[in-house]
Amino acid sequence: MPHDQPASAPGPAPADASDHDPAEAPFLGLLATGAAAEEYERPVLRARAGGAAAARLAAMERAKLLALRVRTELEDRRRREAELSALYATAHDLAGLRDLDAVLRAIVRRARSLLGTEVAYLTLNDPAAGDTYMRVTDGSVSARFQQLRLAMGEGLGGLVAQTARPYVTDSYFHDERFRHTRTIDSGVRDEGLVAILGVPLLLGSGVIGVLFAADRRERVFEPGQVALLAAHAAHAAVAIDTANLLAETRKTLTELEAANEIIRDRSSVIERASDVHDRLTELVLRGGGVQDVADAVAEVLDGDVEFTEPGRAPAAALDRSRADGHAVRDGADWVAAVRAGGEVLGALVLRGHPALDPVDQRTLERAAMVTSLLLLARRTAGEAEQRVRGELLDDLLDAAARDPRLLRERAARVGADLDAPHVVLAARMSGAPISDGDGPPRPDGTDRRRLWSAASHLAATRHGLAAVRDGGAVLLLPLDRDGDPAHTAREIAARLGTALHVPVTVGASAPVPAPAARPAAVADAYAEARRCREALCALGRAGQGAAAADFGFLGLLLADTRDVDGFVRRTLGAVADYDARRGTELLRTLGAYFACGMSPARTKDELHVHVNTVAQRLERVGRLLGPDWQTPARALEIQLALRLHQLSAAVTHETEE
């Protein structure tokens, strides 16, 4: 033993017990208790102070970032749910009010609550004076501000009233987009307002006022908040119109008390208007659909009411209704545009009613407005679900170390079972360019957006997932127990092509037994599906669907799992089974036939049999493999399968020895 060998170094200090806990454990507790964002730094600081290893600290940093991301996503979802609940609560509250002042106070109070601002207020247009005036405020402390009047085009509110478009400013006094006046600026300064958002109260195509939300500090109003206040303003305009209509009705009844005949004549119309108002309100509150609205209006108006898509509605009448904001007559029918802002979503068509009472006309128009709200709500919910499905699939593809339990929980929320066998499919429209990144389609990627929408809808109907990736779409769909990935690929290619009216090429992976248990297998399967898709395009088979098994021996190169036995079985299984059952030598004859240059005469010498025997055996092979077995392509696959079979048999023999 050498004398200069150093003494053994002392062993490492015993690790703290907490070093053996999962890095994410303290952050899961913080998520469960809803802790503030700054609390997530403390476990890392304690670990660092306790002398935790660098690897442990790095793992905790990653767990912290992931937990903060989850916390942000949860807060965003809670906020979206709260906004949607508040919007429906607003519709419920406004529907129960009949007095105009009570309606206006409720509108402003709810607007302030929805956006969490310090001040909210509402101005109404004065057609006689040609200006707009402050009608109701909530949170205001300045008497001068509460008595403001704005000429059309003056200040932010005057600009909203004049253009019928929302405007927002982060800092009112530094914003030069609208005309400042001494009177308005003095009132705003007196109130101390800085950030202001104003949306128009639209009734038909006209503006009846402006609804504002404001803060006394700089603030950025997000697009979602602008849309939320605009949706609230749509409810508010309907409620104001209803309150005004009811007030006008009461006045009319008072003035016509002596005219019993007129009262009786009008009462049925008023009852129908009230009935449809209550019915439509009930439909909104219980989550009814577009067809429910059409059925309710048809019953009240005693006619046939149908919702039609924009392309199927009478074009000229739809354009007039959209521009005018009212239902218009089209021959013996009436057409009311269903629109949201500048977008036409369809039309309600009342058929066979050439003479329509003005109140019934307004009923049809209100029904069109309610229909637009239902369609927007359905679209919002659908897009939210699509995003959730896409984010889950992105996590499966990008983060192999995801917690299987969390994956299962997230999948269950959208009706997916990630413990069942699945297949990964890569789809792309023919000629669609490959994007330079992942994520939702860009606004200018119309084709990719259409593909994403169609794939998401298809995934939702099959309890699967879909996302946008690499210029195309990727789907993770359940596979039946006896399901064939190639059949699924062809079916999905056909369905997407029919939906988009363009060829869609789809490659499929081998089955993924349980994606939640092995998330890394999903990424590998996606790579295999992409290779199959690109192989289809390279072979001039764009617009079709296929899996690796469809490519014969090329499938061995395309698939992540080199299934040699499966390839041999698919190619020569019928011949091998026949030999096993009958004790024949068809496989040996087939090998000798190819080895002898496909010459029966030379084959019979190789096998030491009569040439007729060779011919009979080859005839039997043809019946088992099909009449095209000697074509160049099939012959190549058969020879490769024979060679692999021989090598496999030789390896087995050596192993046994």
Side-chain angles (χ1 to χ4, degrees), residues 166-178:
Y167 275 87
V168 60
T169 178
D170 302 335
S171 179
Y172 176 85
F173 292 101
H174 296 91
D175 200 328
E176 300 299 328
R177 290 178 299 164
F178 39 82

Side-chain angles (χ1 to χ4, degrees), residues 530-611:
R530 282 187 64 194
R531 289 195 294 270
C532 290
R533 183 190 67 191
E534 300 308 320
L536 283 172
C537 295
L539 295 173
R541 294 171 57 187
Q544 300 181 22
D550 291 325
F551 294 95
F553 71 91
L554 288 178
L556 296 176
L557 305 177
L558 297 173
D560 280 327
T561 57
R562 302 294 185 257
D563 186 11
V564 173
D565 291 340
F567 169 71
V568 173
R569 182 70 187 168
R570 287 192 299 271
T571 308
L572 298 175
V575 178
D577 291 344
Y578 189 88
D579 278 349
R581 289 195 310 270
R582 302 294 183 90
T584 55
E585 295 186 338
L586 297 185
L587 276 181
R588 180 166 172 258
T589 301
L590 194 57
Y593 177 66
F594 283 117
C596 293
M598 301 175 71
S599 168
R602 293 169 58 189
T603 303
K604 61 99 175 172
D605 293 336
E606 176 71 19
L607 297 176
H608 305 291
V609 297
H610 195 274
V611 70

Side-chain angles (χ1 to χ4, degrees), residues 26-253:
F27 304 107
L28 290 175
L30 294 173
L31 283 172
T33 58
E38 54 268 24
E39 294 293 330
Y40 288 72
E41 191 66 34
R42 293 185 179 179
V44 180
L45 294 176
R46 286 197 296 268
R48 185 176 289 112
R56 172 72 176 178
L57 292 175
M60 293 188 72
E61 282 289 345
R62 290 193 297 271
K64 178 192 73 174
L65 295 177
L66 181 60
L68 287 172
R69 179 181 173 187
V70 172
R71 178 181 179 275
T72 301
E73 291 180 356
L74 290 174
E75 287 184 348
D76 289 343
R77 289 176 186 170
R78 291 192 197 102
R79 177 178 55 78
R80 288 196 292 270
E81 291 173 359
E83 290 176 350
L84 191 58
S85 298
L87 201 57
Y88 277 109
T90 298
H92 180 272
D93 293 345
L94 295 180
L97 298 175
R98 295 294 185 268
D99 178 69
L100 179 59
D101 288 334
V103 169
L104 296 177
R105 287 194 297 272
I107 290 169
V108 174
R109 187 167 54 251
R110 183 69 71 172
R112 183 182 177 192
S113 173
L114 283 175
L115 269 69
T117 55
E118 297 171 289
V119 183
Y121 51 101
L122 182 147
T123 63
L124 293 179
N125 291 357
D126 186 346
D131 62 3
T132 180
Y133 63 99
M134 192 73 69
R135 182 67 170 79
V136 181
T137 64
D138 188 65
S140 172
V141 296
S142 168
R144 179 187 299 180
F145 180 77
Q146 296 167 15
Q147 298 171 5
L148 279 178
R149 295 187 76 95
L150 298 79
M152 290 297 181
E154 291 183 353
L156 184 142
L159 188 59
V160 174
Q162 185 180 51
T163 63
R165 294 174 55 191
Y167 275 87
V168 60
T169 178
D170 302 335
S171 179
Y172 176 85
F173 292 101
H174 296 91
D175 200 328
E176 300 299 328
R177 290 178 299 164
F178 39 82
R179 191 164 75 244
H180 291 265
T181 67
R182 179 178 300 176
T183 302
I184 299 173
D185 286 0
S186 297
V188 173
R189 186 176 289 107
D190 216 26
E191 188 62 48
L193 300 183
V194 177
I196 304 174
L197 165 62
V199 298
L201 294 168
L202 291 169
L203 194 59
S205 60
V207 179
I208 62 172
V210 181
L211 180 61
F212 297 88
D215 268 338
R216 295 185 176 93
R217 64 186 186 283
E218 288 193 4
R219 168 180 176 174
V220 176
F221 289 96
E222 302 293 340
Q225 294 175 316
V226 177
L228 179 63
L229 190 62
H232 177 52
H235 283 296
V238 173
I240 292 172
D241 182 49
T242 301
N244 285 329
L245 180 61
L246 290 174
E248 293 169 4
T249 303
R250 295 189 192 100
K251 180 180 178 181
T252 302
L253 290 174

